[in-house]
Amino acid sequence: MAVIAKLPPKGRTQAQRARAEALAGYLFMAPAMAIFLVFLIIPIFFALVISLTDWNGITPLGQTPASATGALTLENLTDAPVTVPAGTVFSN
């Protein structure tokens, strides 16, 4: 008598299941990432841009040309000598 091997039922392969599971994970993360982007990343970027200009905070940004005086100020701050407290040990 011949033994006939049963084939697995036609369904989704392991790669397809893994892809669907990854997609579901990304869909669950999407609202959290949107909140993270809107309330953290964009304000940090905007604060960096504002810190490098001379915008007064009242006039709309597009009305007067903003000059990059902040970049010069940040550069001048780095020219100051560094004071190291006594007892600090430097190792290479």
Side-chain angles (χ1 to χ4, degrees):
M1 186 143 121
V3 178
I4 299 174
K6 287 189 174 184
L7 295 175
K10 287 188 177 182
R12 298 168 68 176
T13 64
Q14 186 174 359
Q16 289 173 332
R17 284 191 303 265
R19 203 172 309 123
E21 187 175 329
L23 178 63
Y26 289 130
L27 289 176
F28 275 108
M29 279 190 341
M33 290 294 112
I35 291 171
F36 180 75
L37 180 75
V38 169
F39 291 107
L40 187 70
I41 302 299
I42 293 173
I44 288 174
F45 176 74
F46 192 62
L48 180 67
V49 169
I50 289 173
S51 71
L52 297 176
T53 63
D54 63 349
W55 182 50
N56 62 9
I58 297 173
T59 59
L61 281 173
Q63 284 188 352
T64 59
S67 60
T69 58
L72 299 175
T73 304
L74 291 176
E75 181 180 329
N76 290 338
L77 288 175
T78 60
D79 292 339
V82 177
T83 304
V84 180
T88 304
V89 178
F90 294 100
S91 62
N92 290 337

